[in-house]
Amino acid sequence: GGGGWGLGRGGGNGVGGNLGLFCLGWSLVSPVWKSGIEPFWLGGIFALYVLGTHVTKDLGDIDGDRAAGYQTLPVVWGGNRSARFVAPFFFLPFLGWPLGAWLEVIQLDLERAFWLAGGLMVVGLPGVWGLRSPRSRSAWRWMYLQLLVAHLGPCWIYLWS
């Protein structure tokens, strides 16, 4: 715990740093000087995902965060309301792939981008199911698994396109 959504002590959660790292990583797949916005689009999808789903980690430690004086989203809003807020982030950011392919700002095939987004939404279902019990740690375990699969999917599409 300790600082979900930048409400805690210690200066926030580093969302900007995460966006920077994601963009830097994806610039290796699609160099900035060659494609312009593509690494930022791809990095933005992951940053949006992490921005929303990282709160699942705080759901398991509401009492500890409260005792330490951290004002995380689950401490401020409560476990159930925070879980309802987090659930769409297991799905919605991945619509950025077909949208980006349709807008031609990323070099993914539109049909493959839809399959990738749909597949990741299915992978996210157990994470959302884990939110039924907000203090359970199963949601954040699925969040990390989904994030790993989400990175491998576009890499596979770029390699095989």
Side-chain angles (χ1 to χ4, degrees):
W5 280 67
L7 300 173
R9 292 183 276 176
N13 60 12
V15 171
N18 283 334
L19 175 60
L21 284 174
F22 287 128
C23 293
L24 178 64
W26 281 102
S27 69
L28 298 173
V29 174
S30 178
V32 176
W33 62 87
K34 182 178 164 187
S35 61
I37 193 174
E38 188 165 19
F40 301 98
W41 188 277
L42 294 169
I45 291 169
F46 289 105
L48 183 61
Y49 175 80
V50 170
L51 175 69
T53 60
H54 84 281
V55 174
T56 60
K57 187 83 167 154
D58 294 324
L59 287 168
D61 194 27
I62 295 172
D63 295 331
D65 286 345
R66 185 176 290 121
Y70 294 123
Q71 295 296 306
T72 62
L73 202 60
V75 168
V76 174
W77 282 7
N80 290 327
R81 184 175 175 203
S82 296
R84 285 190 304 273
F85 175 79
V86 166
F89 286 94
F90 276 90
F91 307 110
L92 296 179
F94 302 120
L95 294 176
W97 284 315
L99 178 63
W102 182 69
L103 294 173
E104 298 181 356
V105 296
I106 59 174
Q107 300 172 37
L108 290 179
D109 174 69
L110 182 59
E111 182 179 349
R112 289 180 181 170
F114 269 112
W115 279 105
L116 176 62
L120 281 163
M121 289 178 185
V122 170
V123 171
L125 287 173
V128 172
W129 184 256
L131 292 172
R132 291 177 298 111
S133 174
R135 293 179 186 255
S136 168
R137 297 194 183 270
S138 67
W140 67 262
R141 288 186 187 117
W142 275 100
M143 186 240 352
Y144 286 118
L145 177 63
Q146 188 180 27
L147 187 60
L148 173 67
V149 173
H151 277 87
L152 296 175
C155 288
W156 180 81
I157 290 175
Y158 276 103
L159 288 172
W160 296 101
S161 291

